[in-house]
Amino acid sequence: MRLGLILGEVGNGLRRNVSMVISVILVTFISLTFVGAAILLQMQIGQMKGYWYDRAQVAVYMCTSLDTTGNCTQSEATQDQIDAVEAKLKSDALTPYIKKFEYENHEQAYKNFQAQLSDNPIASFVTPETLNESFRVNLIDPTEADILIESLSSMPGVQAVEDQRGYLDRIFAVLNAASYTAIGVAALMLIAAVLLIATTIRLSAFSRRRELGIMRLVGASNRFIQTPFILEGVFAALIGSVLAGLAIVGIVQFFVQGYLTTALQSTTTLVGLGDALVVVPILVVVGAALAAASAGVAISRYLKV
Amino acid sequence: MIRFDSVTKAYPGTTRPALNGVSIEILKGEFVFLVGASGSGKSSFLRLILREETPTKGAIHVLGQHLNTLASRKVPYFRRNLGVVFQDFRLLPNKTVFDNVAFTLQVIGKSRGFIQEAVPDALKMVGLAGKSNRYPHELSGGEQQRVAIARAVVNKPAILLADEPTGNLDPATSAGIMTLLERINLGGTTVLMATHDAGIVDQMKRRVIELISGQIVRDERQGGYQTQAVPVQGFGRMAEEVAP
Ligand SMILES: Nc1ncnc2c1ncn2[C@@H]1O[C@H](COP(=O)(O)OP(=O)(O)OP(=O)(O)O)[C@@H](O)[C@H]1O
Ligand SMILES: [Mg+2]
């Protein structure tokens, strides 16, 4: 009986405020979609870090006959110098940090280069001799690249020791910036959503002020007076959250899994439907909680006795 | 039942208090008229009893509750013991007579069975048994006020507060309303009615409390609208209290 009465009040409120309710739905929809996108981006960054840091190598580039930087004097690294570096990598001082390493000579470097840049006109100007021979070292803990850099960069015949994580960190920085932008936009939109919900509820309360006055007069409890308004806000926000959830699932299904996966081939792992399904309940809970809180604050003015 | 101890009510931003050092006691089953010029503080007096306002100074006890210290969340439950009627009826225009009366019971969580019994009883008592499906705009002013009274008493309150209930009604209709209030009073409900209607007060010969500028100047058993005799109780005592 009481539940029916409360739900009836909610229905009346929603009907009376259709345009406001629609704007609440749209604003929560868009803001929560941004929130979801930000969360997905963070998940993506996390996954890529796990994937790439594992594969990231420290490259020890040996001199070519063209190099003047590092310890190079425009002469090719000698076999002795190469052996010395290899011996150092196998020494007791460095082995504890190294998972494995392999040597890449001119021919292999050329092949890899051609494979990666086959579409690029530069590829046809490059000859095997201009590409550095290198040691590709996989570390047990990729954060310990400095040890290698320190002990190898001063060795004769070594042009440079490069931690490839540096490149990855730059990519992650870009992705991070994108996700922070999404969070910023989401925060602003959420503020708008909260204020809009509060305004909607206040309007709704104003249009029902006669009923509210009588309810207070005859002793309806605060909870009883409050509940329809809070439910009204939560209902509108829930529709927005569910739409945002659907949008997130759609983005992952059709854009990430459908488009990006084919576009990027299998060069990296991408967030999947499983991740999207983790995000959806977060959005729904955030939407409902924010709506309940702002509606509750908005209606409290009418409850003062 | 209702006791004011040196109650002063000054609204924020006003210099002159609406009620000034009011002490009074109203007993169970009494019928009390509250008279006085416009702005003398009658409505403020009733609002304090309803705990719509709290006193600036002094203590108010109603139905054994100390209203100064009554927690806000308990106020709704306190109000369920009070019925209120206003000059402007305050009915919900989109609800039928029946639903207007039932509304007060619904919002305090009464069962459907209780409502189905209590509402027709209350409507019969106010003489509107045949009009329960009408809307307020389909009723005369007197009938609307009867609906408002039915709504106020349907939950059998211990106290009925009426703020100028006959203010918008002609004398004949007013008389009908007064008969109704008298009947409710006979049922044991304490009735406290603010009014400007001299005829009614003179005719009913009930206790009269007169306010001037927020002070009680007369508290008379079986009094009239204007002072006819030397004020009996209260006035003298109050004068003593006011004296330094
Ligand atoms: N909410 C309020 N805020 C400020 N002042 C108020 C408020 N309510 C009443 N007053 C003031 O308190 C005084 C008493 O008002 P009250 O309404 O109690 O008078 P009243 O005797 O009921 O008058 P009337 O016969 O016209 O209804 C008046 O001076 C009024 O202006
Ligand atoms: Mg008044």
Side-chain angles (χ1 to χ4, degrees), chain B residues 118-131:
Chain B
V119 175
D121 274 0
L123 287 176
K124 200 164 123 218
M125 203 258 292
V126 300
L128 286 177
K131 299 189 171 160

Side-chain angles (χ1 to χ4, degrees), chain A residues 148-161:
Chain A
L148 239 65
I149 294 172
E150 234 167 71
S151 52
L152 295 178
S153 10
S154 58
M155 290 185 71
V158 172
Q159 189 221 3
V161 183

Side-chain angles (χ1 to χ4, degrees), chain B residues 160-182:
Chain B
L160 178 64
L161 304 176
D163 197 351
E164 304 186 32
T166 58
N168 280 344
L169 306 176
D170 66 48
T173 315
S174 298
I177 295 291
M178 290 318 296
T179 317
L180 182 54
L181 291 181
E182 217 171 359

Side-chain angles (χ1 to χ4, degrees), chain B residues 45 89 103 113 127 148:
Chain B
F45 190 93
F89 318 138
F103 184 68

Side-chain angles (χ1 to χ4, degrees), chain A residues 210 214 217, chain B residues 52 86-92 100 148 151:
Chain A
R210 274 168 175 277
I214 291 167
L217 214 56
Chain B
E52 278 200 73
F86 298 96
Q87 181 174 359
D88 56 357
F89 318 138
R90 300 201 190 172
L91 300 176
L92 296 174
N100 262 286
R151 179 178 68 188

Side-chain angles (χ1 to χ4, degrees), chain A residues 1-2 5 9 16 210-212 214-222 224 305, chain B residues 50 52 72 76-77 79-80 86 90-92 103-104 106-109 112 151:
Chain A
M1 158 103 239
R2 273 178 70 132
L5 190 70
E9 289 286 308
R16 233 173 298 191
R210 274 168 175 277
E211 279 94 334
L212 285 178
I214 291 167
M215 285 186 190
R216 296 211 300 118
L217 214 56
V218 302
S221 66
N222 285 352
F224 184 89
V305 281
Chain B
L50 248 188
E52 278 200 73
S72 306
Y77 303 95
R79 286 195 186 143
R80 293 179 188 183
F86 298 96
R90 300 201 190 172
L91 300 176
L92 296 174
F103 184 68
T104 68
Q106 287 169 340
V107 302
I108 61 174
R112 188 188 290 269
R151 179 178 68 188

Side-chain angles (χ1 to χ4, degrees), chain B residues 37-44 46-47 87 163-164 194 196:
Chain B
S38 221
S40 57
K42 301 183 296 297
S43 297
S44 301
L46 297 181
R47 276 207 296 277
Q87 181 174 359
D163 197 351
E164 304 186 32
H196 288 290

Side-chain angles (χ1 to χ4, degrees), chain B residues 228-239:
Chain B
Q228 285 158 353
V230 176
V232 269
Q233 309 123 350
F235 185 36
R237 195 186 72 194
M238 202 197 66

